Amino acid sequence: MLKINFKITGWLFVSVLAFTACEKEYLEFEYTDGAVREADIWKSDRHARGFLNNVYTGVPNRYNLDGNGALLASGSDEAVNSNFNSSINVFNNDTWGPMRTFDEQYTSMYTNLRRANLFLENAPTSKISPASDIPELMGEAYFLRALYHFELMKRYGGVIIANRTFKPDEVLDLPRNSFEEVVEQILADCDEAAAVLTPSIRDQSDGDKGRATQTAALALKARTLLYAASPLNNPSGDAAKWQAAADAARAVIDLNKHSLLTGNQTTPWSELANLWNYSTRAYNAEVIFASAADNVNSIELNNAPIGYDGARGRTNPTQELVDAFGMRSSGKPITDPASGYNPANPYNDRDPRLGLFIIVNGASFKNRPVEIYAGGRDNVPTNVNSTKTGYYLRKFLSESAAWGVGATTNVRRPWVHFRYAEVLLNYAEALNEAQGPVADVYRYVNQVRARAGMPPLPTSLSKDQMRERIHNERRVELCFEDHRFYDVRRWKKGEQFFNKPVHGMRITRNGSNLSFERFQVESRAFSEKMYRFPIPQFELNIASKNLEQNPSW
Amino acid sequence: MQGISWLNYLKIRGSLGLIGYASVGRNRFLYLDEYSNGGGTPSFGGNISNINSRLFFGNPSSLNSNPSSQLQLSNPVVWHSKVGNPNVTWEKSIKRNIGIETAFFKDKLLINADLFDEKRYDILLPRDNSAPDIFGESLPFTNYGENYNKGYEIEATFRNTIGDFEYRLYAQLTHAVNEIVLTDEPVNLAPNLRRTGQSIDQYFGYQVIGFYQSLDDIAASPASKVSGPVIPGDFKYADINGDNVINDQDRVPIGYTDVPRNVFGIEPSISYKGIGLSALIQGVSKVSSNLIFDGNGRNQYYSRMLDRWTPENAVNANWPAMRPGSLGGNPSYNVNSFLLQDASYVRLRNIELSYQFPAAIMDKLKLGSLRLFVNGQNLLTWTKLIGLDPESNISRTYNRQFFSNPTYTYPVTKVYNFGLNVQF
């Protein structure tokens, strides 16, 4: 009996051993407490896709550039930052330099480019399944690579092209590629992307909305060509470059996938404010490409008037920007004696976008009128955050967000990088430069104006007059969206706009009468070298032989 | 030692060693490429677990009623977190030492001396400082750096007895200097900012050449971009690179490091018929400290600031002018040659007076031993360091770019003891 028992136990033991051995062989359990290895990533569908997702994390979100809520607008003549200590002021007070940079994206963009390149190099042999997804996923990476090169190009001009991953033991003191070469690289990547991507956000499945699309790639291509055709980068004024930019913008329009976000007939602008508000207008037809939509109330906390639950009123629009908004009834700029502008009642009958983008005295915000007159609730000079110009930001702000103690409401907002109105204005600008004020120029500028409730442009403008009108239309329509800072540079108008003081409006209340007085807020400095960003000194210290600094820095 | 009466012991010794250091406080897997995911940690088996929500795609409007379901839209994020270096090997050091041990005059005088050096090489470091950022990622660790450390150690004891009178003097001195022979630095780094050739953790700061005496003086001097605007009475710094701007490129090696180069101790003791007096005197020299009482950025002032620069006190000023906090950063409180302190000290670490009752009394009292003593610790300190105890150096090493306020340091205390030691 005992013997048999022993035998059985022995057999059991052997079979357990055999089973364990099998398990080991078939499940290939390998233990490591350290690295996740290369093969584990690219062998896995989920991880390989995750790698591409990570390339998207570099898409800039531009609501807070200094850690304290500054928009790039405060580095241009659009706005003054209520925080005088903000580092964004290096753009305005002539302390900018290779050792004191701001919004310096050199390192971060090359980090993003390496990620895109790693994906592009590994995706073709990865186990992404189904494999038929690979071309489109690579198209997204091509688009992102183009976007990151564009972010470098608009700052520094010609930069070192990173269209492959650099090796750790490679000599990386490379000469900068020319501006034209970078443009070529961006265009090539945009074309690769446009050929394979889903046409537009409207065609994407619910879970994919926000990923790169064909229209995004074409809009990036159009903007790149517009920059390349502009006076800063096209000193000889080659009209063919403008024509190329016009054609590229036209391609986006012709796809007929996007439209302007329009309200009803009497107030066509009424939906415009929701363009950035994904809680109510998710991936609306005007948005071509945007960053991931964060669920935040910090945009309001940073920018709302100071009388609202400790908001910081950061971005204070300048009088110069306010003056750029024309008169609604006459459609004329306020400088025109026949415009109907009344300096004693300056906000009356103005372009409806003024009320949508800027909080002026008396405007209603969160169910009460904003009081910016001297002594008002939103103008308290002893509060360091009080408005410096007499205006507060309204664009991007959602009235449903709340940031008070005990009652916070977040609203999902992306940073919109490309929207249809910009494409229309890109097209009009390029076409006017290439062909003069032909019918299409009027047509598309007037489309943008009509959505804002503004009358069409007067007919028979000269090419120069039309240029001024288009420049002003961009200034108004695209204010605070990171365009002005670069537009003025590419137009080579920095000395004209950025090298002079900015102004505000002082409002005094006497009974029910208000009086308005313009005043200088601060002086601003701009010089020739500031058309480009300086290459940061830390990089020059390393790459000493071939990397060249931009002129005069 | 036949025939040499004054020398009764002599030994010469030496050593030479090659030592390897692996995993010097760093990752054991330097040779592997690594990937990470959105905040989660790699789990057993090399799989990535806990894919965090780092990126949002998708139509958010359907989520309005239920914000917590946003996770449904989150997309996993995976990134390349480390470049591996398959050639990585351990750090090495060659240590050499030669010493003598001697005894003279029938062991009355003992002298030991050692001469040592250490060459540490193949130090593991990522060469990020010398590789352009266009690489786009942190570089792998490579065996690159080299340090050299050398010095000597001497100790001597002299002891003698004259009748009941005994005395003994022990002295010890250690001197050590290290130097960075090779480290990862940008090729174009200005010579005054190079760490190569300097000691490890050498302080760098501005060279003070005086005070700004007036607004005219400020206007006529190189523009200061150190931090915040300058006012009369702020330190005027030397424009080392001559570019007519004072900024962090004008910093130079100043002072020493926070590790003393010289450490010494003296231990005298005498005794006569049961009465004993002994002491330990200790000291360090060639050491600097970035501790400073600068008001902590708040409205807090110290008596030494009475000597500050004012137009009337311009000649005798011993501290920069006081300035309102609203002016922004104070350029005078950046590490500079004037305020970087000499942290050398000599300290009476311990002194003791004792009386050992003689054996005859012990026998009467039927006691084993009875000893009466009074001693004190840290009774006297001679130092130039102002503000704190020179050994309170906890926060000193925090950041050598800046002065540090000695907020969380607790000084060495003085201790007095009086005692009776009885043994049965």
Side-chain angles (χ1 to χ4, degrees):
Chain A
M1 198 60 197
L2 200 76
K3 262 182 190 168
I4 294 165
N5 260 343
F6 183 73
K7 243 181 188 171
I8 291 170
T9 322
W11 274 113
L12 271 173
F13 188 59
V14 169
S15 54
V16 165
L17 267 184
F19 185 66
T20 334
C22 287
E23 206 173 33
K24 223 170 188 167
E25 200 179 325
Y26 288 112
L27 296 181
E28 278 185 40
F29 179 80
E30 288 177 63
Y31 173 84
T32 156
D33 63 350
V36 181
R37 278 161 299 178
E38 187 109 28
D40 296 330
I41 296 296
W42 302 110
K43 261 191 334 202
S44 146
D45 173 54
R46 184 171 167 81
H47 294 340
R49 288 172 189 266
F51 200 93
L52 175 63
N53 292 341
N54 187 44
V55 186
Y56 277 95
T57 57
V59 173
N61 184 315
R62 308 281 299 165
Y63 288 113
N64 181 355
L65 302 188
D66 67 342
N68 209 340
L71 296 177
L72 189 63
S74 300
S76 75
D77 63 352
E78 290 187 306
V80 174
N81 194 299
S82 70
N83 172 14
F84 280 140
N85 288 326
S86 168
S87 40
I88 198 167
N89 285 316
V90 300
F91 289 137
N92 306 325
N93 60 15
D94 204 10
T95 55
W96 194 12
M99 282 182 266
R100 183 170 290 214
T101 57
F102 184 77
D103 191 22
E104 196 283 295
Q105 300 285 346
Y106 200 83
T107 306
S108 59
M109 284 304 150
Y110 279 106
T111 303
N112 296 330
L113 285 167
R114 178 174 173 82
R115 291 171 176 172
N117 286 320
L118 274 170
F119 183 80
L120 286 171
E121 287 167 15
N122 286 292
T125 53
S126 72
K127 292 288 191 303
I128 289 172
S129 96
S132 55
D133 279 359
I134 293 177
E136 179 161 9
L137 296 175
M138 287 178 67
E140 292 178 35
Y142 279 120
F143 167 78
L144 293 168
R145 189 165 83 177
L147 181 68
Y148 298 144
H149 273 123
F150 178 81
E151 290 289 325
L152 289 169
M153 180 270 264
K154 75 177 179 185
R155 289 180 171 82
Y156 307 101
V159 291
I160 298 161
I161 293 173
N163 53 8
R164 63 188 175 89
T165 55
F166 298 115
K167 303 283 166 283
D169 51 358
E170 198 175 331
V171 174
L172 289 176
D173 185 2
L174 304 172
R176 291 166 66 181
N177 290 89
S178 69
F179 182 87
E180 289 72 24
E181 288 168 332
V182 178
V183 168
E184 283 309 311
Q185 176 66 42
I186 296 171
L187 298 182
D189 281 347
C190 285
D191 288 340
E192 288 271 1
V196 294
L197 289 176
T198 307
S200 76
I201 284 177
R202 291 165 63 186
D203 307 299
Q204 285 174 319
S205 68
D206 252 12
D208 281 338
K209 287 190 190 299
R211 292 181 176 274
T213 59
Q214 188 184 14
T215 52
L218 294 177
L220 173 56
K221 180 179 177 180
R223 195 195 281 174
T224 305
L225 285 166
L226 184 75
Y227 273 60
S230 298
L232 176 64
N233 305 310
N234 181 14
S236 63
D238 182 357
K241 291 187 175 175
W242 285 112
Q243 188 58 51
D247 294 345
R250 179 84 215 187
V252 182
I253 299 169
D254 285 345
L255 275 177
N256 207 19
K257 289 289 183 185
H258 293 279
S259 59
L260 296 172
L261 185 60
T262 310
N264 60 36
Q265 225 158 16
T266 48
T267 56
W269 61 84
S270 60
E271 285 294 329
L272 181 53
N274 289 328
L275 194 126
W276 296 271
N277 185 338
Y278 272 26
S279 294
T280 52
R281 282 283 174 189
Y283 300 103
N284 53 72
E286 186 162 347
V287 173
I288 296 173
F289 183 74
S291 73
D294 292 335
N295 202 27
V296 293
N297 59 10
S298 55
I299 305 171
E300 288 74 21
L301 174 63
N302 284 325
N303 291 302
I306 56 164
Y308 293 83
D309 284 329
R312 300 185 185 121
R314 283 289 173 250
T315 306
N316 305 148
T318 61
Q319 189 61 46
E320 281 74 10
L321 176 59
V322 172
D323 287 347
F325 288 81
M327 300 304 292
R328 190 184 166 202
S329 303
S330 66
K332 293 181 161 61
I334 64 164
T335 47
D336 189 326
S339 66
Y341 176 68
N342 176 7
N345 192 5
Y347 312 128
N348 186 40
D349 190 36
R350 296 292 290 274
D351 186 329
R353 286 173 290 187
L354 177 62
L356 292 175
F357 298 163
I358 295 172
I359 293 177
V360 301
N361 182 54
S364 169
F365 184 70
K366 282 180 87 85
N367 305 321
R368 75 161 169 89
V370 178
E371 301 171 359
I372 306 181
Y373 55 81
R377 272 194 279 181
D378 302 297
N379 184 354
V380 184
T382 50
N383 180 336
V384 291
N385 296 329
S386 188
T387 176
K388 304 297 182 279
T389 62
Y391 301 103
Y392 287 104
L393 178 76
R394 153 89 35 99
K395 207 178 206 175
F396 313 133
L397 269 58
S398 162
E399 295 199 33
S400 52
W403 54 95
V405 177
T408 58
T409 309
N410 291 329
V411 180
R412 285 194 71 194
R413 258 90 38 96
W415 179 267
V416 176
H417 284 270
F418 294 94
R419 63 180 176 110
Y420 193 57
E422 185 216 338
V423 172
L424 298 183
L425 293 172
N426 290 354
Y427 179 55
E429 181 184 342
L431 194 61
N432 181 51
E433 299 295 340
Q435 300 181 10
V438 295
D440 256 8
V441 177
Y442 280 97
R443 181 177 165 204
Y444 290 106
V445 179
N446 285 338
Q447 258 190 32
V448 174
R449 286 172 68 83
R451 187 268 301 268
M454 289 292 285
L457 292 175
T459 47
S460 66
L461 292 169
S462 72
K463 181 175 174 181
D464 290 344
Q465 287 170 325
M466 179 57 89
R467 179 185 303 125
E468 291 310 311
R469 289 299 193 126
I470 295 170
H471 286 188
N472 197 65
E473 204 61 37
R474 283 185 77 90
R475 185 178 188 177
V476 168
E477 174 70 28
L478 304 177
C479 62
F480 310 121
E481 292 181 52
D482 272 17
H483 285 290
R484 178 77 179 166
F485 185 94
Y486 292 106
D487 279 348
V488 168
R489 282 175 165 74
R490 67 182 175 85
W491 295 330
K492 280 238 109 182
K493 286 183 168 180
E495 288 87 352
Q496 183 189 334
F497 287 112
F498 294 167
N499 195 30
K500 61 178 192 186
V502 288
H503 293 79
M505 184 68 90
R506 191 173 287 131
I507 305 163
T508 350
R509 192 171 75 154
N510 189 1
S512 60
N513 293 328
L514 296 172
S515 61
F516 297 86
E517 182 201 356
R518 286 155 193 260
F519 69 100
Q520 179 178 329
V521 177
E522 63 182 25
S523 56
R524 295 279 178 93
F526 186 91
S527 54
E528 177 75 26
K529 62 182 179 184
M530 299 184 191
Y531 281 107
R532 303 268 193 226
F533 278 43
I535 301 282
Q537 187 65 37
F538 62 76
E539 191 72 355
L540 288 168
N541 280 346
I542 295 167
S544 59
K545 286 204 198 83
N546 295 318
L547 184 67
E548 266 181 59
Q549 180 58 284
N550 273 327
S552 305
W553 281 113
Chain B
M1 290 294 157
Q2 298 292 321
I4 308 171
S5 61
W6 50 270
L7 178 63
N8 53 329
Y9 184 79
L10 175 66
K11 177 161 134 188
I12 299 173
R13 55 180 159 79
S15 68
L16 176 68
L18 174 64
I19 296 166
Y21 304 86
S23 184
V24 193
R26 300 192 190 96
N27 191 314
R28 287 181 290 145
F29 299 96
L30 296 177
Y31 58 97
L32 286 176
D33 276 45
E34 279 183 17
Y35 289 77
S36 294
N37 68 305
T41 48
S43 70
F44 293 137
N47 294 317
I48 291 173
S49 66
N50 181 22
I51 303 275
N52 281 4
S53 48
R54 281 286 295 267
L55 197 65
F56 293 91
F57 290 122
N59 193 331
S61 55
S62 57
L63 296 172
N64 275 342
S65 54
N66 184 8
S68 68
S69 67
Q70 269 172 6
L71 285 174
Q72 291 166 357
L73 291 179
S74 70
N75 285 263
V77 175
V78 178
W79 70 87
H80 192 239
S81 53
K82 184 161 69 66
V83 185
N85 176 5
N87 302 319
V88 78
T89 179
W90 50 16
E91 296 183 15
K92 294 170 218 50
S93 89
I94 295 176
K95 290 187 175 184
R96 296 187 298 181
N97 169 300
I98 185 160
I100 55 168
E101 291 172 26
T102 58
F104 302 92
F105 313 120
K106 294 176 184 166
D107 285 351
K108 275 185 188 153
L109 177 65
L110 310 170
I111 297 177
N112 296 340
D114 272 293
L115 204 60
F116 60 84
D117 76 350
E118 177 188 1
K119 176 184 157 182
R120 181 136 173 178
Y121 61 103
D122 279 355
I123 293 173
L124 282 166
L125 45 86
R127 296 201 54 195
D128 286 329
N129 294 335
S130 53
D133 279 13
I134 62 164
F135 180 69
E137 204 174 337
S138 259
L139 281 153
F141 276 84
T142 46
N143 295 96
Y144 183 70
E146 183 180 329
N147 295 336
Y148 182 68
N149 182 31
K150 66 176 178 192
Y152 56 82
E153 230 180 281
I154 302 173
E155 51 176 358
T157 311
F158 185 73
R159 54 193 180 203
N160 200 8
T161 311
I162 306 166
D164 289 336
F165 187 69
E166 269 183 52
Y167 64 98
R168 180 179 180 276
L169 184 68
Y170 169 81
Q172 176 270 120
L173 168 68
T174 305
H175 171 84
V177 187
N178 61 41
E179 185 194 338
I180 297 172
V181 179
L182 188 63
T183 191
D184 178 48
E185 287 192 297
V187 267
N188 252 16
L189 195 65
N192 54 304
L193 293 171
R194 289 202 165 275
R195 284 163 57 232
T196 307
Q198 303 290 337
S199 293
I200 299 167
D201 295 339
Q202 171 68 45
Y203 285 113
F204 283 78
Y206 297 97
Q207 198 73 49
V208 175
I209 53 173
F211 293 99
Y212 288 106
Q213 299 296 344
S214 61
L215 289 172
D216 290 342
D217 191 8
I218 292 172
S221 306
S224 168
K225 295 200 173 172
V226 176
S227 62
V230 287
I231 61 169
D234 276 331
F235 285 134
K236 189 193 278 187
Y237 297 136
D239 181 15
I240 301 293
N241 59 9
D243 62 356
N244 223 25
V245 173
I246 309 289
N247 55 23
D248 65 354
Q249 299 298 298
D250 292 306
R251 293 178 306 126
V252 290
I254 53 173
Y256 298 97
T257 71
D258 53 19
V259 178
R261 286 193 181 176
N262 296 324
V263 180
F264 59 88
I266 301 168
E267 246 186 289
S269 67
I270 51 176
S271 67
Y272 177 72
K273 288 190 174 174
I275 301 171
L277 179 66
S278 69
L280 167 59
I281 298 158
Q282 217 180 40
V284 301
S285 73
K286 298 205 170 170
V287 56
S288 296
S289 165
N290 65 345
L291 282 179
I292 189 184
F293 285 94
D294 63 3
N296 226 354
R298 305 181 193 102
N299 302 324
Q300 206 172 324
Y301 299 99
Y302 302 94
S303 57
R304 62 183 304 194
M305 296 177 182
L306 291 170
D307 268 349
R308 72 195 181 279
W309 188 97
T310 62
E312 298 75 34
N313 188 33
V315 183
N316 298 320
N318 206 16
W319 193 265
M322 300 286 99
R323 45 192 280 150
S326 60
L327 268 184
N330 188 337
S332 294
Y333 290 157
N334 283 263
V335 171
N336 60 59
S337 58
F338 192 95
L339 294 180
L340 187 76
Q341 298 205 67
D342 180 351
S344 307
Y345 69 88
V346 176
R347 163 164 284 171
L348 182 59
R349 170 78 62 211
N350 194 3
I351 187 163
E352 181 174 88
L353 180 64
S354 62
Y355 180 66
Q356 175 84 45
F357 286 86
I361 302 175
M362 291 302 98
D363 290 344
K364 278 185 192 160
L365 295 174
K366 306 250 187 307
L367 286 176
S369 121
L370 184 62
R371 187 166 169 271
L372 195 64
F373 65 89
V374 53
N375 69 24
Q377 287 164 18
N378 307 316
L379 297 188
L380 287 170
T381 303
W382 296 270
T383 180
K384 286 186 201 155
L385 186 89
I386 298 165
L388 256 197
D389 187 277
E391 285 182 282
S392 305
N393 57 1
I394 299 160
S395 60
R396 209 194 266 171
T397 53
Y398 174 64
N399 187 337
R400 284 170 193 83
Q401 280 249 41
F402 304 102
F403 284 117
S404 58
N405 269 286
T407 321
Y408 301 111
T409 59
Y410 200 76
V412 169
T413 49
K414 278 184 188 174
V415 178
Y416 299 93
N417 289 313
F418 177 76
L420 188 65
N421 190 325
V422 186
Q423 284 173 24
F424 299 97

